[in-house]
């Protein structure tokens, strides 16, 4: 009985003794940053050591005491993300820029850490704790997304007295998606219309496609040639080219999605490169000529064709479209006093930003926007198929079995043979039409009405010259030969080497073509000047 009581007393004494020498050490940074935050380890020390230190701040944080699982569950950091642009062409793998914004849920926590002497560094990591980039300013930083499926989190690391410890991390953000590159790409250019047709296989989940064209074999151009807005479309016809060249084509697939509260678009890696060599013919739609010039000095922009009131100044070298002149009727070698111009937003394209009258002498020579090339026989003209389709669609008729089309844009004359709705190209050849000062009239109802063998004129300096085989389609304008000095065969006015219009309203032809029209085209034949 006495022995049992003695054992109980001894146990109680030992327990009290152990309690008196037990100490739980909590790292100072953990106490400061979050009240009640759990630590994963308990350390024991002698009470006298704790008293000498006077504080637990001197303790070095143990990595286990701030485990990733615990900080993630607490998520003391927050992270948000938003794409820099919604332009899919700029959001390709490795170029898709996303703006991340990080912050502490409780800024006081961050302050207590830094006040306690801890140095904080930040990193953007993926779901596998792989470091993607170091972050200097968590308030705003940009990272370029490399691939699909990666998730993102912001991780803070504290360093002090030569040791480091992971402190906090944000919750994971969702990733972004890129589609696979289009496959089965083919490129063809049939001679019948000279248009390049690109085809590819449909990509699952695609909302559209980007088409790229370049003449460089080594790199994909920065800007796409065409954006296809439907994921169901798997072909594109490229018409806007000219000249005999080898072109290279690429296709990307566009994906539209939503992630982290923001909509976004991405473009896939480019498809395999495909090339094609096009022929000489134009591929743009049928059009008429337009006139342009550039200012050769600083030019006042007048509000009227004769007044002195101006509304600004055009800088030297400004490109402008020319649409009118004053006076409208220019005789012989005279020039206009003023011309009406339009300045475009993007230099040679875009919306009109300014317009008005400028003095003729403040501008360089007004030229036509003809498609120039060194070989002016084919590559600045349309194919037979395009010409026939155009005149037959317009349902032009003629009182004879011939129809003539003067294309002022391409500087070509085309002879059709047949009847209304069934015209076929019979002949086609180069011409020079009227320059801006005295342009060839435009109409769809001219007719050949008389012929004349020869006409004599004077040059600007008073020297006589002549041309022959005139076939008139207006009161004074006709098809005729090149010009020679009177009494000789020395050429004074030939065909333009630049392809530019340079007559005073007539349509100048090489001698053999003017002779052919003179001998074979009867009166009453319809002439279209466009």
């Amino acid at each position: 009985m006495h022995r049992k009581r003695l054992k109980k007393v001894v146990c109680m004494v030992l327990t009290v003794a152990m309690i008196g020498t037990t100490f739980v050490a909590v790292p100072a940074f953990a106490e400061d940053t979050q009240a009640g935050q759990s630590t994963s380890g308990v350390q024991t020390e002698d009470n006298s050591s704790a008293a000498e230190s006077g504080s637990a701040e001197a303790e070095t944080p143990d990595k286990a005491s701030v485990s990733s699982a615990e900080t993630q569950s607490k998520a003391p950091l927050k992270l948000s993300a938003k794409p820099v642009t919604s332009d899919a062409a700029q959001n390709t793998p490795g170029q898709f820029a996303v703006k991340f914004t990080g912050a502490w849920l409780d800024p006081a926590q961050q302050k207590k850490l830094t006040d306690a002497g801890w140095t904080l560094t930040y990193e953007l990591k993926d779901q596998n704790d792989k470091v993607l980039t170091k972050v200097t300013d968590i308030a705003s930083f940009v990272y370029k997304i490399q691939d699909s499926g990666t998730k993102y989190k912001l991780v803070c690391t504290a360093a002090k007295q030569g040791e480091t410890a992971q402190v906090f991390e944000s919750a994971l953000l969702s990733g972004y998606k890129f589609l696979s590159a289009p496959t089965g790409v083919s490129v063809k250019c049939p001679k019948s219309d000279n248009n390049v047709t690109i085809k590819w296989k449909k990509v699952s989940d695609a909302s559209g496609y980007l088409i790229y064209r370049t003449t460089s074999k080594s790199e994909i151009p920065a800007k796409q040639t065409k954006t296809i807005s439907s994921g169901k479309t798997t072909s594109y016809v490229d018409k806007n080219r000219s000249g005999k060249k080898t072109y290279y084509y690429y296709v990307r697939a566009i994906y539209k999605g939503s992630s982290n509260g923001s909509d976004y678009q991405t473009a896939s890696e480019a498809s395999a490169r495909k090339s094609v060599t096009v022929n000489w013919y134009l591929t743009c739609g049928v059009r008429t000529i337009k006139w342009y010039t550039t200012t050769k000095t600083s030019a006042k922009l007048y509000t009227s064709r004769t007044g002195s009131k101006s509304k600004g100044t055009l800088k030297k070298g400004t490109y402008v479209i020319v649409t009118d002149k004053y006076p409208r009727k220019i005789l012989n070698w005279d020039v206009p006093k003023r011309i009406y111009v339009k300045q475009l937003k993007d230099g040679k394209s875009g919306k009109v930003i300014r317009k008005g009258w400028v003095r003729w002498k403040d501008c360089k020579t007004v030229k036509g926007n003809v498609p120039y090339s060194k070989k002016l026989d084919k590559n600045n003209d349309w194919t037979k198929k395009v010409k026939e389709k155009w005149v037959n669609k317009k349902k032009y008729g003629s009182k004879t079995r011939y129809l003539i089309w003067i294309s002022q844009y391409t500087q070509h004359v085309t002879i059709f043979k047949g009847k209304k709705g069934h015209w076929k190209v019979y002949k086609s050849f180069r011409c020079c039409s009227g320059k801006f000062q005295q342009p060839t009239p435009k109409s769809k109802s001219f007719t050949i009405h008389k012929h004349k063998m020869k006409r004599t004129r004077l040059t600007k300096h008073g020297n006589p010259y002549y041309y022959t085989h005139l076939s008139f389609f207006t009161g004074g304008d006709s098809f005729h030969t090149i010009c020679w000095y009177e009494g000789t065969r020395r050429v004074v006015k030939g065909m333009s080497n630049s392809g530019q219009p340079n007559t005073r309203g007539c349509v100048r032809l090489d001698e053999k073509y003017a002779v052919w029209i003179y001998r074979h085209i009867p009166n009453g034949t319809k002439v279209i000047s466009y």
Side-chain angles (χ1 to χ4, degrees), residues 176-191:
Y176 298 89
K177 183 177 180 178
F178 297 99
L179 298 177
S180 57
T183 59
V185 179
S186 65
V187 181
K188 294 182 179 180
C189 181
K191 292 182 179 180

Side-chain angles (χ1 to χ4, degrees), residues 145-330:
I145 308 301
Q146 306 293 319
D147 50 33
S148 299
T150 301
K151 295 182 180 181
Y152 306 92
K153 62 182 177 180
L154 182 63
V155 178
C156 175
T157 301
K160 183 179 180 182
Q161 298 178 347
E163 296 188 22
T164 62
Q166 178 174 296
V167 181
F168 297 114
E169 63 183 40
S170 68
L172 283 170
L173 289 184
S174 301
Y176 298 89
K177 183 177 180 178
F178 297 99
L179 298 177
S180 57
T183 59
V185 179
S186 65
V187 181
K188 294 182 179 180
C189 181
K191 292 182 179 180
S192 60
D193 60 10
N194 203 43
N195 292 325
V196 175
T197 301
I198 307 103
K199 294 184 178 181
W200 59 91
K201 291 183 179 179
K202 182 181 178 181
V203 177
S204 180
D205 294 333
S207 62
Y209 300 91
L210 300 175
I211 312 297
Y212 295 81
R213 180 191 69 224
T214 179
T215 55
S216 173
K217 189 177 180 180
S218 59
E219 60 183 10
I220 303 175
K223 184 170 179 154
Q224 71 273 25
T225 303
K226 178 69 176 179
T227 299
I228 307 296
S229 58
S230 172
K232 296 180 180 180
T233 302
T234 57
S235 65
Y236 168 66
V237 178
D238 184 14
K239 299 180 179 180
N240 193 22
R241 316 165 334 277
S242 64
K244 187 175 182 180
K245 295 178 182 178
T246 297
Y247 290 95
Y248 301 93
Y249 290 87
Y250 303 84
V251 184
R252 296 183 191 267
I254 299 174
Y255 175 77
K256 287 185 179 180
S258 180
S259 184
N260 305 312
S262 298
D263 294 333
Y264 69 95
Q265 290 189 91
T266 60
S268 69
E269 292 284 4
S271 66
R273 182 184 69 234
K274 296 294 180 179
S275 64
V276 66
T277 300
V278 302
N279 300 305
W280 283 106
Y281 301 99
L282 288 177
T283 56
C284 59
V286 174
R287 60 192 64 181
T288 190
I289 194 169
K290 291 184 179 180
W291 304 98
Y292 72 93
T293 186
T294 54
T295 54
K296 61 183 178 182
T297 184
S298 179
K300 281 188 177 181
L301 198 63
Y302 294 97
T303 58
S304 66
R305 59 189 182 180
T306 58
S308 59
K309 185 179 179 181
S310 66
K311 52 181 178 180
T313 304
L314 296 177
K315 293 181 180 179
K316 178 181 178 181
T318 301
Y319 176 95
V320 290
I321 300 296
V322 185
T323 60
D324 201 358
K325 62 182 181 293
Y326 174 77
R328 288 187 174 176
K329 188 174 182 179
I330 307 296

Side-chain angles (χ1 to χ4, degrees), residues 345-363:
K345 182 178 180 181
D346 301 321
K348 295 185 179 182
S349 62
K351 295 181 179 180
V352 175
I353 56 174
R354 287 200 295 176
K355 54 187 177 181
W357 294 89
V358 296
R359 295 188 304 178
W360 172 267
K361 64 181 182 180
D362 290 337
C363 300

Side-chain angles (χ1 to χ4, degrees), residues 496-509:
S496 170
N497 291 327
S498 65
Q500 282 289 328
N502 65 359
T503 76
R504 288 190 284 169
C506 289
V507 177
R508 189 184 304 148
L509 304 169

